Amino acid sequence: MSYSGLERRRYKRIRHHFIISLRVYPEITSKNNAKWDMAAIENLSAAGMFFTYNKKLETGTLLEFKITLPFLMDRTRCLGVVRRVEEKPPAKIYGIGIYFVEIDGKRKDAINKAANDYYFKKGVSD
């Protein structure tokens, strides 16, 4: 389903699948040092991303990410907060929308540039 209302997003999105590593942020200080899980990004912007995940997360959960992108030399580490969760039936898969709360400015700019280039090359309209 395509959104036909007024566009309120500040940044364009890259609609492409990338693999990310993630973990719940507060757990990294616990004795068990939370292991990294993997998930697939459905779309990415300089402000956040939407990804599919096999666990349901609560809105407001703080996550740490490691993202490897073809247009960035180094792996990007950042923090994001869960803004929305959508169940994707029939499988127990969840669509998770996050907003970046901590991301390096250079990487944010690189993601924004890549998204703008992506739209220009693909002729995509949102």
Side-chain angles (χ1 to χ4, degrees):
M1 173 163 60
S2 179
Y3 177 72
S4 60
L6 178 65
E7 179 58 58
R8 297 180 310 189
R9 289 184 179 93
R10 184 174 173 189
Y11 299 103
K12 292 191 180 329
R13 292 172 288 153
I14 301 169
R15 291 184 183 276
H16 189 78
H17 295 283
F18 300 106
I19 300 299
I20 57 170
S21 298
L22 73 141
R23 61 184 174 183
V24 175
Y25 186 70
E27 291 181 7
I28 66 171
T29 59
S30 69
K31 290 182 182 178
N32 68 355
N33 197 10
K35 293 181 183 177
W36 292 91
D37 281 336
M38 294 183 79
I41 296 175
E42 288 190 11
N43 67 61
L44 169 71
S45 79
M49 66 182 147
F50 188 79
F51 63 94
T52 54
Y53 192 46
N54 63 351
K55 297 176 186 165
K56 185 174 183 180
L57 298 172
E58 297 298 320
T59 302
T61 302
L62 186 62
L63 300 171
E64 181 179 16
F65 297 96
K66 291 191 281 189
I67 308 169
T68 303
L69 300 168
F71 50 87
L72 292 173
M73 295 291 283
D74 299 322
R75 179 181 284 181
T76 299
R77 293 183 80 128
C78 56
L79 297 178
V81 65
V82 175
R83 285 284 175 98
R84 74 178 195 275
V85 179
E86 302 171 1
E87 189 167 350
K88 295 187 166 246
K92 289 292 182 187
I93 299 293
Y94 301 91
I96 311 289
I98 68 101
Y99 178 78
F100 292 131
V101 293
E102 185 179 297
I103 186 169
D104 177 83
K106 289 180 183 177
R107 286 177 168 75
K108 184 175 183 172
D109 291 344
I111 292 169
N112 192 43
K113 180 184 180 320
N116 285 317
D117 291 349
Y118 173 80
Y119 272 71
F120 179 72
K121 288 177 186 172
K122 299 277 187 182
V124 176
S125 63
D126 230 6

